Amino acid sequence: MSSQQIPAGLAAAAQRFGRYLEAERGRSAHTVRAYLSDVRSLLEHAAFEGVEDPAGLELGTLRRWLGSQSEAGMSRATLARRSATARAFTAWAVREELIQTDPALRLKAPKREKSLPGVLHQQQVLRLVEGAESAAAEGGPMPLRNRAMVELLYATGIRVGELAGLDVDDLDPDRRTLRVLGKGNKERTVPYGLPAALAVDDWLRRGRPALATGSSGPALFLGVRGRRVDQRQVRSVVHDLLAALGDTAATGPHALRHSAATHLLDGGADLRAVQEILGHSSLATTQIYTHVSVERLRQSYQQAHPRA
């Protein structure tokens, strides 16, 4: 189906929904754009069927929309996400009295494919940080920054967006803890170890002053022009370091988050403590890492036990 002009009634509802997500739910601009992209796809389909305003949305419309997405080759994970977005939109519309009865209450979507996150072995992480250290030893502010970012990502398991949003005063060097603003503007405190502390201190002493300008503000990590580093730059740095390993399919910062969580559990950390460190709202989200750890334990058992 070609792009469809959305009627004014539907377009206005989408705009109000976006403002609600940002102002009342505290969603980031990136998350709001993702929600609205899905909502626009739904509303374009609804307009194609002749729907003029939210009150005209029906369960059949939602099902046919998801069906068209499936026929277009969307993955089950994408369909599940779009179904969740539709339910969030129609539930909001009911609360705003734009719809009398929620048409998405009986909407079902394919379950997400269950997949375990990619995890680096501890020796791979060691080689990764050694690569960053070697580059930093050659001098220049950027390698110092890159080393500090990688050490901190692995030490804390924070998300790439959380790293990019850090300010200098979010660090507590004496206690080696970090104040992080996570999803939904929820604040948490995360510890980090000595290697990360040394790398960050080196960046603050020798790297950041060389890049800082009047527009740098309090940002902990800076780009080449002195502005706050963005997520794309962080991903590029980690991607290049992972590619240099040559023996992993992992491609971005989330691999360091996955690895940090798994290595904590492998080392005996409590599941709820790992949940707090990662900033997961649900323990079920953290539990996927126990599957990774159990699988690694099973492999070790089969390799080592004489009667395995």
Side-chain angles (χ1 to χ4, degrees), residues 102-136:
D102 191 343
L105 289 177
R106 292 190 291 131
L107 182 66
K108 294 182 179 180
K111 292 183 179 180
R112 293 177 182 265
E113 299 101 330
K114 290 186 177 180
S115 59
L116 297 177
V119 175
L120 298 171
H121 291 285
Q122 293 186 28
Q123 285 300 315
Q124 289 176 313
V125 174
L126 181 60
R127 285 165 46 215
L128 183 82
V129 297
E130 285 177 347
E133 287 175 357
S134 296

Side-chain angles (χ1 to χ4, degrees), residues 171-202:
L171 294 166
D172 185 339
D174 294 331
R175 295 194 300 166
R176 290 213 298 265
T177 59
L178 192 65
R179 185 173 65 244
V180 181
L181 191 63
K183 289 185 176 181
N185 288 328
K186 293 181 180 178
E187 188 177 288
R188 68 186 190 278
T189 300
V190 182
Y192 57 90
L194 182 60
L198 293 174
V200 171
D201 180 66
D202 205 16

Side-chain angles (χ1 to χ4, degrees), residues 1 41 45 63-74 79:
M1 183 184 68
S41 174
H45 181 93
R63 285 174 171 169
R64 288 187 292 274
W65 169 60
L66 287 178
S68 69
Q69 301 288 301
S70 179
E71 291 175 2
M74 294 291 182
L79 292 173

Side-chain angles (χ1 to χ4, degrees), residues 44-85:
E44 285 180 349
H45 181 93
F48 180 78
E49 294 192 355
V51 176
E52 295 287 335
D53 55 48
L57 290 173
E58 298 176 347
L59 177 60
T61 302
L62 302 181
R63 285 174 171 169
R64 288 187 292 274
W65 169 60
L66 287 178
S68 69
Q69 301 288 301
S70 179
E71 291 175 2
M74 294 291 182
S75 68
R76 284 191 291 172
T78 299
L79 292 173
R81 189 201 72 221
R82 291 200 159 187
S83 177
T85 298

Side-chain angles (χ1 to χ4, degrees), residues 209-278:
L211 295 176
T213 67
S215 61
S216 297
L220 175 59
F221 293 114
L222 307 176
V224 67
R225 297 182 180 178
R227 299 188 181 90
R228 181 183 298 274
V229 72
D230 62 36
Q231 296 185 37
R232 178 183 53 79
Q233 292 169 310
V234 180
R235 290 193 179 94
S236 178
V237 167
V238 178
H239 175 81
D240 290 346
L241 287 168
L242 287 170
L245 291 180
D247 58 356
T248 177
T251 59
H254 231 59
L256 295 178
R257 177 171 166 85
H258 295 328
S259 302
T262 303
H263 296 165
L264 281 167
L265 290 168
D266 284 348
D270 178 75
L271 187 63
R272 290 198 177 274
V274 176
Q275 176 192 6
E276 179 66 23
I277 289 171
L278 296 180

